[in-house]
Amino acid sequence: MPAAFPKISKIQFEGAKSKNPLAFKHYNAKEKIEGKTMAEHLRFSVVYWHTMCGQGADMFGSPTAIRPWETGKKGIELAKARVPVFFELCEKLGAPYYAFHDRDVAPHGKTLRESNKHLDTIVDLLKKEQKRTGTKLLWGTAQLFVHPRYTHGASTSPNADVFAFAAAQVKKAIEVTHELGGEGYTFWGGREGYSTLLNTDMKREQEHLAKFLHMAVEYKKKIGFKGTFYIEPKPKEPTKHQYDSDAAACLNFLREYNLLGELKLNLETNHATLAGHSMQHEMEVAGAAGALGSIDANTGDLLLGWDTDQFPTDIYLTTQCMLSLLKYGGFTTGGVNFDAKVRRESFEPVDLFHAHIGGMDAFARGLKIAAAIRKDGRLDQFVRDRYASWNSGIGEKIEKGKVGFEELEKYMLQKGEANANSSGRQEFLENLINEFI
Ligand code: XLS
Ligand code: NI
Ligand code: NI
């Protein structure tokens, strides 16, 4: 198989002074930070859907992407041609992981049986390429949103047959993820929501979604798949409201339907933005609940109100992500998964490299900066000091459950007024972060 990127060799770390656009300035896979290598901390992953299938079309314009390996091919032949190209890219980037949807690696067939057959054909190739390059599967997933049958949702469709079809599709997707040694499996509720409440029985739909996830958990255990299940929050797009709208809504859903502990969260930056949150907020919500699983690393454009899936290059953002990630102990099965696509205007194959190199470097810098902030200790110390009143006296008694309203009233009647507050020092802390950026 001739190389798809003949002029690009393996991307090397050249250090911050390098002017080579095809080199890492900050991502040095083997460099140790807080006792682990950068590669171990970041666990970079490339997504198949945007990287191989993204054509640069938008609702106003046709495809722009130049992809010489696709010329004259369609259907299963096109799907086959993409596989080695994808792995060549992962290998040259030194990205240890990838992620895919069933229907972006292999085409839809006319029947479920035919789709499964196509998928098996491609899974064989994926397996060979994984072996050849050492690239591993971060997570697999099923595409339950493109085909017209999923117009009204998959597991939340009012049509029970569609639920059954989705179940069969997910069953197969979990099986192939297992077969490929996937470390996780993601549920993103593509169209699990509504466009109007006038036609929607929300309670029934949510119960069906929960039932679906319970079936998946049961099947996972049955076949001995040990990977982590993730649910990926997103508030809207394509539907007006999605049931898995943000980290807090997902956690509440999982708790209500007895699924907490079975699924962690896969958080995506652009989805956080659409939900009106920062990515760090979402990571803190998940982290506090012990459910911080993996991240879909991208970014939106604050001037555009949709999921633009741009590559992350903002160091402030990656620093915040890494501060929260390190605080909660880092990834176990998760990783930094670039659910991101090159712009329509960036249509040459080399743009795929620039994009990933930039994202990897941005996260490497975020990691180094976050580690330096932690080593410095002033930020942590400030937060600890801010809560010092809880370490002894009345604070300690409250935390330990030793007092109730009556004791607290007695305490305050005696004291007359609460101790004075201290400044929150937001500007001081923002300046402190900038010392490291
Ligand atoms: C779409 C989602 C999707 C999931 C995988 O907005 O981000 O790409 O990550 O189905
Ligand atoms: Ni995503
Ligand atoms: Ni997304």
Side-chain angles (χ1 to χ4, degrees), residues 49-50 188 232-234 237 268 270-271 274 296 298 307 309 339:
W49 52 99
H50 288 314
W188 169 59
E232 183 176 320
K234 183 172 182 179
E237 202 202 280
E268 179 165 322
N270 203 163
H271 298 179
L274 293 175
D296 272 7
N298 62 15
D307 200 8
D309 288 338
D339 191 353

Side-chain angles (χ1 to χ4, degrees), residues 9-86:
S9 36
K10 176 130 205 234
I11 308 302
Q12 305 292 336
F13 169 69
E14 293 185 4
K17 293 216 173 75
S18 168
K19 295 272 183 279
N20 178 2
L22 294 174
F24 294 119
K25 320 285 187 303
H26 298 277
Y27 180 58
N28 184 8
K30 294 203 179 93
E31 186 180 327
K32 283 209 165 165
I33 293 188
E34 295 195 7
K36 286 203 291 193
T37 64
M38 282 198 183
E40 286 163 344
H41 275 290
L42 295 164
R43 296 167 56 85
F44 286 125
S45 165
V46 181
V47 305
Y48 208 96
W49 52 99
H50 288 314
T51 304
M52 292 326 286
C53 311
Q55 304 287 313
D58 67 17
M59 55 281 214
F60 298 103
S62 25
T64 57
I66 299 170
R67 303 290 183 251
W69 53 87
E70 298 193 349
T71 311
K73 299 197 178 72
K74 54 180 201 271
I76 190 75
E77 290 314 312
L78 173 60
K80 283 185 191 167
R82 283 172 173 163
V83 178
V85 179
F86 180 72

Side-chain angles (χ1 to χ4, degrees), residues 25-28 31 33-34 38 41-42 44 280 283 295 312-327 331 336 338 357-375 379 433 436-437:
K25 320 285 187 303
H26 298 277
Y27 180 58
N28 184 8
E31 186 180 327
I33 293 188
E34 295 195 7
M38 282 198 183
H41 275 290
L42 295 164
F44 286 125
Q280 199 178 16
M283 292 181 72
I295 65 173
T313 52
D314 180 346
I315 310 301
Y316 214 92
L317 168 72
T318 58
T319 299
Q320 289 176 333
C321 290
M322 294 315 295
L323 274 173
S324 290
L325 191 70
L326 292 174
K327 174 171 159 190
F331 293 124
V336 174
F338 291 114
I357 291 169
M360 290 164 84
D361 260 349
F363 265 88
R365 267 182 94 177
L367 169 61
K368 287 193 279 190
I369 294 166
I373 292 170
R374 282 156 60 85
K375 188 164 177 229
L379 181 64
I433 298 292
F436 293 86
I437 287 188

Side-chain angles (χ1 to χ4, degrees), residues 157-179:
S157 172
N159 178 349
D161 256 15
V162 173
F163 182 111
F165 197 105
Q169 199 183 323
V170 168
K171 173 179 175 289
K172 177 74 179 170
I174 296 172
E175 287 164 9
V176 301
T177 299
H178 185 35
E179 188 182 339

